[in-house]
């Protein structure tokens, strides 16, 4: 029997705020272990949490960007469980009254756009981090760092509407782009700033019921999510094919060995005994707050990609690449203003992105060297055919490492692009005089001979002539001869 997968994702987004979710401790990575802690995030008796407004602002930005409904009054709850990296033995989160409800993330995959429906987005705090086991003298020890305990997190939950592992990878890529675009998180999965648990079940293809799901944890890269889901879907299909039943379970995926291991089965499912946190008042987001967060939203990536495609006449593929990051889209629009949009997109996508990749530069480094105005001046010369193809690439390469206008770069390297008719005409005439045979062939209708004549002029110019200009001049001169000779 053919099966189809049903997948729902639970994503955690670590917010890049200055302080923690419920106290004033700084959010800072690489600080000495257990240095960014206080009575509140350590859960000492008598300490009182207070909600970080900047974190809620970030949550509102994400929720509104995704078209969620914002609850005017949401509630923080305690999720109770014992774990050594959680000093309070409960985590402050939101449960039955989360901040944001519904909404959808638009996704383009293989040219098809789908809206992935969301269940909710809620605000919560992160746990600490444990390191184990390590050897200490003769003993094996585990250590715990509470610096991360209390760092603001958003949890975003999708409806069970994803169907393919590749679609989940596209979802996470789009979510990562969005949180960076909104400037609320660095969204790096390898660094744990974006985390994902994947819930998956299978069912006979085309049916509408739901099968028993398993949950994959420990997925720390987008590729890992895709591979882990692929392995788990295959495992479930194998169990059913052998006449077995899927048991509800939480699995760990080991991406290095492409292996799944059961972490806990249903019998040990947690009962978190959620209840409203008595130390925190309900979180009230009035219309003024909500609307000011909405007004602060930048143009969203999918809307911007559509506008860029339309306004600059570039294919949807180019627009998607250029709108992968906000600063890249900004730079492109500055370069394309008043220029040939497709020409600008070609140079950015092929040449610039290649250099950034090779040198591992952020865009800011590039912009410092090649500000938009400088690139526009270069593109104008390329568009006017003043720089022949290979020379344009050479000039572009010089621009990356050297200051100066195009003319200065050419002069510094002893190269002169000969493009003017006055410079080229004597060479063109000389070549016509020296090659009566090919000229006669050309005039007799063998137009392919023109390429040979262009080559001769290029040779005489020491490679510094602009081929397009040479070609046009040759055609004009030869047309004159055809008329006078007839
Ligand atoms: P739980 O109570 O086990 O946490 P939830 O109902 O909260 O389950 O859903 C958690 C995630 O699992 C959501 O992303 C949801 O879309 C997804 N999900 C729920 N049921 C299924 C299913 N049968 N198959 C796949 N995913 C599912
Ligand atoms: Zn603290
Ligand atoms: Mg749940």
């Amino acid at each position: 029997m053919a099966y189809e997968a049903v997948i729902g994702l639970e994503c955690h987004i670590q917010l890049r705020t200055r302080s923690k979710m419920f106290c004033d401790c700084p959010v800072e990575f690489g600080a000495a272990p257990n240095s960014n802690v206080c009575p509140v995030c350590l859960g000492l008796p008598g300490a009182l949490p207070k909600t970080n407004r900047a974190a809620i602002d970030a949550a509102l930005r994400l929720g509104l960007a995704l078209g969620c409904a914002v609850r005017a009054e949401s509630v923080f709850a305690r999720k109770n469980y014992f774990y050594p990296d959680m000093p309070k033995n409960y985590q402050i989160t939101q449960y039955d009254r989360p901040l944001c409800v519904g909404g959808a993330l638009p996704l383009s995959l293989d040219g098809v756009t789908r809206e992935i429906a969301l269940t909710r987005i809620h605000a919560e705090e992160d746990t600490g981090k444990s390191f184990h086991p390590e050897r200490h003298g003769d003993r094996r020890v585990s250590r715990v760092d509470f610096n991360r305990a209390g760092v603001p997190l958003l949890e975003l939950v999708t409806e069970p509407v994803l169907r393919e592992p590749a679609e989940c990878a596209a979802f996470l890529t789009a979510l990562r782009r969005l949180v960076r675009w909104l400037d609320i998180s660095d969204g790096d999965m390898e660094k744990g700033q974006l985390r994902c648990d994947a819930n998956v079940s299978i069912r006979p293809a085309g049916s509408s019921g739901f099968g028993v799901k398993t949950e994959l944890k420990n997925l720390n890269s987008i590729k890992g999510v895709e591979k882990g889901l692929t392995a788990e879907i295959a495992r479930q299909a194998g169990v059913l094919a052998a006449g077995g039943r899927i048991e509800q379970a939480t699995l760990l995926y080991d991406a290095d060995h492409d292996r799944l291991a059961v972490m806990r089965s249903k019998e040990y499912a947690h009962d978190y005994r959620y209840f409203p946190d008595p130390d925190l008042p309900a979180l009230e987001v009035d219309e003024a707050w909500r609307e000011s967060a909405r007004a602060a939203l930048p143009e969203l990536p999918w809307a911007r990609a559509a506008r860029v495609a339309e306004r600059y006449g570039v294919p949807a593929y180019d627009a998607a690449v250029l709108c992968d990051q906000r600063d890249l889209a900004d730079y492109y629009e500055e370069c394309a203003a008043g220029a040939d949009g497709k020409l600008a997109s070609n140079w950015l996508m092929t040449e610039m992105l290649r250099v950034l990749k090779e040198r591992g530069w952020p865009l800011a480094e590039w912009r410092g060297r090649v500000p938009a105005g400088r690139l526009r001046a270069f593109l104008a010369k390329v568009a006017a055919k003043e720089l022949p193809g290979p020379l344009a690439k050479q000039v572009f390469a010089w621009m990356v490492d050297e200051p100066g206008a195009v003319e200065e770069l050419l002069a510094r390297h002893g190269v002169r692009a000969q493009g003017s008719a006055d410079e080229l005409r004597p060479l063109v005439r000389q070549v016509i005089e020296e090659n009566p045979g090919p000229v006669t062939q050309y005039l007799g209708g063998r137009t392919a001979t023109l390429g040979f004549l262009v080559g001769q002029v290029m040779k005489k110019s020491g490679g510094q002539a602009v081929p397009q200009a040479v070609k046009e001049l040759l055609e004009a001169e030869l047309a004159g001869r055809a008329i006078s000779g007839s």
Side-chain angles (χ1 to χ4, degrees):
M1 187 187 292
Y3 293 101
E4 67 180 11
V6 172
I7 307 165
L9 301 177
E10 295 170 278
C11 307
H12 283 95
I13 300 147
Q14 197 176 63
L15 297 177
R16 201 185 341 89
T17 48
R18 272 179 306 188
S19 45
K20 290 188 182 179
M21 189 70 207
F22 299 108
C23 64
D24 295 332
C25 290
V27 172
E28 188 186 16
F29 300 96
N34 299 305
S35 60
N36 292 335
V37 291
C38 75
V40 174
C41 54
L42 288 178
L44 300 186
L48 277 179
K50 57 183 191 308
T51 307
N52 180 344
R53 193 178 163 102
I56 301 305
D57 254 325
L60 291 176
R61 285 219 289 284
L62 183 63
L64 293 169
L66 292 168
C68 305
V70 173
R71 201 184 292 270
E73 201 177 276
S74 61
V75 173
F76 285 108
R78 290 187 182 179
K79 178 181 183 178
N80 299 277
Y81 61 98
F82 278 101
Y83 207 73
D85 64 11
M86 220 178 36
K88 296 199 290 287
N89 286 324
Y90 61 83
Q91 177 191 22
I92 307 178
T93 179
Q94 295 190 306
Y95 183 51
D96 53 353
R97 276 167 287 173
L99 181 60
C100 298
V101 185
L105 178 67
L107 208 67
S108 285
L109 192 62
D110 303 329
V112 183
T113 302
R114 265 193 77 194
E115 300 259 319
I116 305 302
L118 309 179
T119 311
R120 58 192 275 157
I121 303 174
H122 70 247
E124 61 184 28
E125 58 176 347
D126 209 345
T127 58
K129 235 178 159 168
S130 34
F131 303 85
H132 45 177
E134 293 176 2
R135 202 160 267 294
H136 187 77
D138 289 334
R139 262 177 259 164
R140 281 147 64 81
V141 297
S142 287
R143 295 183 305 150
V144 63
D145 178 5
F146 292 130
N147 284 350
R148 200 181 68 176
V151 166
L153 285 186
L154 298 182
E155 180 173 331
L156 176 150
V157 183
T158 77
E159 291 285 288
V161 290
L162 293 147
R163 294 285 172 267
E164 309 268 349
E167 199 179 20
C168 297
F171 179 90
L172 288 166
T173 305
L175 181 61
R176 182 179 64 187
R177 173 178 73 166
L178 182 61
V179 300
R180 290 176 178 171
W181 192 278
L182 296 174
D183 206 17
I184 62 175
S185 172
D186 291 332
D188 197 330
M189 272 192 93
E190 278 79 3
K191 293 186 184 147
Q193 296 154 341
L194 178 62
R195 290 170 237 162
C196 171
D197 298 337
N199 298 267
V200 56
S201 60
I202 60 175
R203 66 186 178 193
S207 65
S208 58
F210 288 107
V212 174
K213 72 173 164 71
T214 57
E215 182 173 358
L216 264 61
K217 287 190 177 291
N218 221 20
L219 302 168
N220 48 17
S221 70
I222 291 179
K223 204 77 220 149
V225 172
E226 190 172 345
K227 279 172 62 188
L229 279 167
T230 303
E232 174 57 7
I233 291 166
R235 187 193 68 84
Q236 289 189 13
V239 169
L240 294 189
R245 280 197 358 232
I246 306 299
E247 304 279 342
Q248 187 179 323
T250 300
L251 306 167
L252 290 180
Y253 179 64
D254 173 354
D256 293 337
H257 304 95
D258 192 25
R259 262 201 316 252
L260 293 155
V262 176
M263 181 174 146
R264 53 177 179 256
S265 56
K266 195 180 179 179
E267 296 79 63
Y268 306 105
H270 283 76
D271 172 9
Y272 294 118
R273 295 175 293 118
Y274 284 98
F275 61 86
D277 192 310
D279 288 343
L280 283 160
L283 173 61
E284 289 180 17
V285 177
D286 60 12
E287 199 184 326
W289 188 2
R290 189 185 68 221
E291 291 314 310
S292 75
R294 198 193 302 278
L297 283 180
E299 183 181 18
L300 298 172
W302 45 86
R304 190 160 187 185
R307 181 177 61 74
V308 160
E310 160 88 29
R311 175 144 164 205
Y312 301 98
V314 294
Y317 175 78
D318 292 34
V321 172
L322 296 167
C323 293
D324 186 49
Q325 287 164 238
R326 216 161 116 195
D327 56 354
L328 177 58
D330 290 344
Y331 182 67
Y332 170 69
E333 289 209 67
E334 285 167 36
C335 293
D340 175 339
K342 180 61 183 153
L343 184 70
S345 140
N346 287 347
W347 280 91
L348 259 55
M349 284 176 49
T350 53
E351 299 301 315
M352 181 190 81
L353 290 182
R354 182 181 48 76
V355 172
L356 293 191
K357 198 167 168 208
E358 278 170 11
R359 306 207 185 177
W361 283 347
L363 186 68
E365 173 71 37
W366 174 275
R367 291 185 80 153
R369 292 163 179 255
V370 188
R374 192 174 185 216
L375 195 76
R376 269 205 310 272
F378 166 79
L379 291 174
K381 290 210 181 298
V382 175
K385 303 203 164 59
E386 287 175 35
L387 291 175
L391 186 56
K393 281 201 178 173
Q394 179 60 72
V395 169
F396 192 85
W398 286 330
M399 281 206 302
V400 181
D401 293 310
E402 297 175 32
V406 172
E407 292 80 2
E408 290 171 60
L409 289 167
L410 291 171
R412 188 177 305 142
H413 291 272
V415 175
R416 243 164 34 84
Q418 298 180 357
S420 79
D422 287 348
E423 279 177 319
L424 294 176
R425 194 169 289 113
L427 301 182
V428 165
R429 290 195 170 148
Q430 218 179 326
V431 165
I432 289 175
E433 296 315 321
E434 290 168 6
N435 293 279
V439 167
T440 311
Q441 284 179 359
Y442 174 80
L443 293 176
R446 278 194 51 191
T447 49
T449 315
L450 192 65
F452 168 76
L453 296 171
V454 170
Q456 296 304 304
V457 179
M458 293 300 293
K459 225 187 234 168
K460 280 200 187 300
S461 76
Q464 295 179 9
V466 177
Q468 183 64 23
V470 171
K471 184 164 167 276
E472 284 165 16
L473 260 180
L474 265 170
E475 282 170 340
E477 284 286 324
L478 291 168
R481 277 163 210 244
I483 292 162
S484 59
S486 65

